[in-house]
Amino acid sequence: QLKLTPPPNSDADFTLTVTPYDAEVAWTQLTAKIEVNINAVVDGGYFDVANFAIVTGSSGALPYEFGFEDRDGSEQHTVTLSGLPDFISLSAGERVGNDWVLDFDDLVGLQIRADQVTDLSGFSETHFGLSRRFDVKVTVRSVEASNGDVFEETDSFSFFALQRTER
C-alpha cells in the first residue's frame, strides 16, 4: 500500500518511481514509473465585516478581515457586497448595479465613504440625528484556473448610516 500526499495548494503532476524489493527473493527487483496526475481543488476563503456605523459625509476604514488559502496564483478570488446604498462607495473595486465587486488585489486597506443623503426615506429620528440600518450580503468566490472548480460562500453584515440634523 502506498499513500501520497501532495504539497498544500499544489496541482503539479509528477512521475513517481517505485522499486519493490522482496528480501526472500533477492533476485526479484522491478522498477515502475507511475504518472501521477493531481486534480486541483479550489481552496476556500473568507471576508468578515464587523457591524459598524458611519456618519454621512465622512469616510474611514472598513472594519473587515479576509483570507484565502491558495497563494500560488492558480485561483481568482472575488468578494461581492450586495445591498450597499448608492450613497456608499468603497476605495477600490467596482460598483456593478447594486453590487460592489472586489478582486483580491482590492482588499488591502479598503476604505468606505458615505456621501450626504438627500433621500431620507427609511431614516429614523435618534438623539444623534437620523439613522438607518442597512443589511449587506457578502459573497466570497474563488475559481481554480486549471479546471474551473468553484468555492462560494455567503454571509452578511449590517451597518448604520447616521446623518446629523440641525437642532
Side-chain angles (χ1 to χ4, degrees):
Q1 182 178 19
L2 178 65
K3 180 182 178 185
L4 296 173
T5 303
N9 303 315
S10 174
D11 65 349
D13 299 339
F14 61 92
T15 301
L16 177 68
T17 302
V18 179
T19 305
Y21 181 77
D22 185 339
E24 299 280 325
V25 187
W27 51 268
T28 306
Q29 190 171 8
L30 303 170
T31 298
K33 292 190 183 243
I34 302 169
E35 297 297 321
V36 179
N37 297 314
I38 305 294
N39 291 325
V41 293
V42 69
D43 296 301
Y46 68 93
F47 186 86
D48 294 330
V49 180
N51 295 338
F52 66 95
I54 188 166
V55 177
T56 59
S58 71
S59 61
L62 186 68
Y64 69 99
E65 293 181 351
F66 75 95
F68 292 95
E69 296 293 321
D70 187 272
R71 291 180 175 68
D72 68 359
S74 69
E75 295 177 5
Q76 177 185 359
H77 307 290
T78 57
V79 174
T80 303
L81 304 179
S82 302
L84 286 174
D86 289 340
F87 65 90
I88 294 290
S89 60
L90 301 175
S91 61
E94 178 181 12
R95 183 181 284 279
V96 179
N98 201 29
D99 295 341
W100 204 278
V101 181
L102 303 154
D103 290 325
F104 180 76
D105 293 338
D106 296 329
L107 299 179
V108 176
L110 197 57
Q111 300 283 308
I112 186 169
R113 167 128 187 100
D115 293 330
Q116 289 292 336
V117 178
T118 54
D119 177 9
L120 298 174
S121 58
F123 279 75
S124 301
E125 188 71 39
T126 68
H127 68 281
F128 178 82
L130 297 173
S131 173
R132 181 171 175 193
R133 176 186 165 144
F134 292 90
D135 297 314
V136 179
K137 181 173 85 170
V138 178
T139 303
V140 174
R141 182 178 171 90
S142 297
V143 179
E144 175 62 50
S146 67
N147 60 15
D149 193 21
V150 175
F151 166 87
E152 190 168 283
E153 186 172 273
T154 301
D155 201 355
S156 63
F157 68 91
S158 299
F159 75 94
F160 284 90
L162 307 171
Q163 180 144 328
R164 292 187 175 129
T165 55
E166 298 287 326
R167 295 215 178 236

